[in-house]
Amino acid sequence: MRVAKRSDLGRRNKTLGSHAGSLYVSVGVQPKASSNHEWGNNGTKQGSLELAGIERKLLAEPKGKASGRTGARRGGSAGARTKTGVKTGEGRGSAGTRLKAGERAGVSRGRKGARAKAGKRAAARRALAAPRGGRTAGARGKQRTAAQRAPGPAPQGSTPQALPASGAGPAPPQATHRRGGVAHAGRESAAAHAGSARALAPAQPAAAPESGYAEGFRDGVFAGGEALVAQHIPPDHILPTVAAADLIEAGFRQYAPTLTRLASPHEMAGHIQGALDAQRPLSVVRLGDGELLTLAADTVLPGEQVQGLAPFLPYAGVPRSTPDIRAALAEAIRGADWVGVPISRAPTFQGLLFPVLRHFGIDWSRLNLTSSTINYSLHHSGLLLPVVQGRRVLLIGSQAAELGALLNGRGIQVTGIIGTVEGVADIPRVMQQTAEHSFDIALVAAGIPAVILCRRIAGELGRVAIDFGHLADKLVTGELHL
């Protein structure tokens, strides 16, 4: 069995820190190791937790601390033996007093007792000296462990690097959490809403000496900021007193007129209620890393690279991205009434969004855009229940039965439930069952197939269909409450 070396861990920590530092600059926010959101939850986190676990084992018994404890045990044992010797000597000395015949033996044993007392004092000195060194080394070990655990920049997960066609550069680790294990990062997380150009100053390391991860993070911030600026400075010149953050701010002001506004939760609630009142079809679909990587496979990224970046795709409903699946997904996006797009500028989110749309000939400027987390926004804004109140609701997905019980308890009329959708290949069956139900609005929580289902429910059945996503899971588990 190969034993992890401290030097190996340092290099791994530095690599993770460098990735996180680059992400910090490109996205504009310090990534966090722990998050309950679905792209950041558990991603992000796995790589750093594994390293921390290995290092904690290596540091669990620092040499000084172990020596201290050994010295203490030896000192304590010697002290105990000395104490026993003293009692024995005293006892036998008394016996010698009572028995004249044993006087010599008592004197001899008394001398042994005196020597034992001297041994006791020496053992006590050794015991005091050993724990002192042990405590110092142990404290240093605890300090190192605390530095590893201290809040600070942390990797988002263990996803391999990517180089999207957008030229965004190597991808920082992206969290991918399974549904019940893997989730979509961009479409499911409020953490994906990062993007402030001002938030560029890295956090200071929480403890000294600097850890390998903190060193890597610092290097990543430099590579993603000042090093890029240096590429544009001509030879034999410097740009005094102007930081990379200042240049980003100035450049942002130049491009601010091209900002594109996304529909807010209140606006989306109004559109949905308007369609329900008028009994006209409406589809709201959402694009996250799963959908974008499915579309990117063998188009803007090599298929093998996509498999490494998105091992969760089979669980999300796409065992393997094929031309037929990509075509159906692209057509659903093109025909949807509203498309939720990721706010995150990370390489597997907006870094793929626009190259993918361009590849499939979809003009993003002609799409009605909202956030890919619009499902959560409707809930957090208190608009979800008012939207479905008084409507006949059809639920589709693995949590449909449990979610139906919750909605019924809040006075919502659930008229149909269709259970688990077994991937894209199961869409024809689900559409057939959907047509057999009477409903006004369908809430579809079925992974990547939900995009296609929502578009078809609206286009073929003339109903309102919302890509409900992992909001269903969070309501059922009690993480969120109606």
Side-chain angles (χ1 to χ4, degrees):
M1 181 179 72
R2 183 177 181 274
V3 178
K5 296 181 179 180
R6 292 282 295 278
S7 58
D8 295 336
L9 295 175
R11 285 193 292 270
R12 290 178 63 188
N13 265 336
K14 183 173 180 179
T15 301
L16 288 172
S18 179
H19 289 326
S22 299
L23 174 64
Y24 176 72
V25 174
S26 63
V27 180
V29 70
Q30 178 178 319
K32 298 182 183 298
S34 176
S35 172
N36 289 328
H37 299 296
E38 296 186 18
W39 78 279
N41 190 11
N42 343 74
T44 86
K45 184 175 179 180
Q46 180 180 354
S48 60
L49 288 179
E50 291 175 356
L51 282 178
I54 296 172
E55 290 192 347
R56 280 197 296 272
K57 289 180 181 179
L58 288 175
L59 297 174
E61 291 291 339
K63 184 175 180 181
K65 186 172 182 179
S67 300
R69 281 201 295 266
T70 301
R73 286 196 297 268
R74 291 174 178 174
S77 299
R81 289 194 298 270
T82 301
K83 187 175 182 180
T84 302
V86 171
K87 291 182 177 179
T88 303
E90 291 175 350
R92 290 175 180 172
S94 299
T97 301
R98 292 192 300 269
L99 299 175
K100 294 181 179 180
E103 182 176 2
R104 293 179 181 177
V107 171
S108 176
R109 289 168 181 168
R111 291 173 180 173
K112 290 183 180 179
R115 289 196 297 270
K117 288 183 180 181
K120 178 180 178 181
R121 288 193 295 271
R125 286 194 296 270
R126 288 195 299 271
L128 288 174
R132 185 179 301 114
R135 286 194 298 270
T136 302
R140 288 196 295 268
K142 290 181 179 179
Q143 183 180 20
R144 288 193 293 269
T145 304
Q148 296 158 3
R149 295 178 178 175
Q156 289 286 324
S158 54
T159 309
Q161 294 186 4
L163 186 61
S166 65
Q174 287 293 313
T176 50
H177 308 275
R178 297 191 178 274
R179 303 178 190 233
V182 169
H184 291 288
R187 62 184 287 169
E188 304 295 353
S189 169
H193 290 241
S196 170
R198 294 178 178 272
L200 291 177
Q204 296 298 318
E210 185 178 42
S211 68
Y213 176 83
E215 181 183 357
F217 182 85
R218 185 196 62 220
D219 293 345
V221 170
F222 173 78
E226 298 295 347
L228 294 178
V229 172
Q231 295 176 11
H232 298 278
I233 299 177
D236 303 321
H237 289 76
I238 61 173
L239 187 63
T241 71
V242 180
D246 300 324
L247 294 172
I248 291 173
E249 182 178 357
F252 184 81
R253 287 198 297 268
Q254 177 182 347
Y255 286 98
T258 65
L259 287 169
T260 298
R261 188 176 180 277
L262 306 180
S264 69
H266 286 82
E267 290 171 329
M268 288 305 302
H271 290 303
I272 296 170
Q273 288 176 325
L276 289 168
D277 292 339
Q279 296 184 349
R280 68 172 183 268
L282 181 76
S283 56
V284 180
V285 304
R286 302 179 303 109
L287 305 181
D289 59 344
E291 290 77 12
L292 295 174
L293 285 165
T294 297
L295 291 168
D298 296 318
T299 57
V300 301
L301 289 179
E304 295 77 12
Q305 187 175 1
V306 168
Q307 291 182 34
L309 287 168
F312 60 88
L313 285 183
Y315 182 82
V318 179
R320 185 176 181 84
S321 178
T322 64
D324 290 344
I325 292 176
R326 293 194 291 270
L329 192 55
E331 184 58 32
I333 296 169
R334 187 180 291 108
D337 295 292
W338 288 91
V339 180
V341 296
I343 291 179
S344 170
R345 296 174 61 85
T348 52
F349 298 98
Q350 281 190 35
L352 283 181
L353 173 65
F354 297 104
V356 159
L357 295 180
R358 184 164 52 249
H359 175 86
F360 287 95
I362 301 174
D363 184 355
W364 66 267
S365 66
R366 294 181 177 273
L367 300 176
N368 294 320
L369 299 179
T370 187
S371 166
S372 60
T373 58
I374 187 61
N375 52 339
Y376 290 102
S377 298
L378 288 171
H379 170 71
H380 292 314
S381 300
L383 300 170
L384 178 60
L385 287 179
V387 164
V388 297
Q389 194 73 47
R391 317 292 184 177
R392 297 173 300 168
V393 180
L394 171 67
L395 302 176
I396 300 176
S398 59
Q399 300 287 357
E402 293 83 352
L403 180 60
L406 288 176
L407 292 175
N408 281 327
R410 298 302 299 269
I412 305 301
Q413 183 184 3
V414 177
T415 58
I417 288 176
I418 299 176
T420 303
V421 179
E422 300 293 342
V424 174
D426 201 25
I427 288 178
R429 175 191 68 84
V430 176
M431 283 300 303
Q432 181 179 355
Q433 290 190 14
T434 301
E436 298 171 358
H437 290 278
S438 297
F439 63 97
D440 301 313
I441 180 172
L443 304 180
V444 186
I448 296 172
V451 175
I452 301 173
L453 283 169
C454 287
R455 172 64 189 124
R456 290 188 60 177
I457 290 171
E460 298 175 18
L461 303 179
R463 310 291 170 77
V464 174
I466 310 297
D467 184 351
F468 205 63
H470 273 281
L471 179 57
D473 301 86
K474 291 183 177 296
L475 292 173
V476 168
T477 59
E479 184 175 344
L480 296 175
H481 301 280
L482 286 172

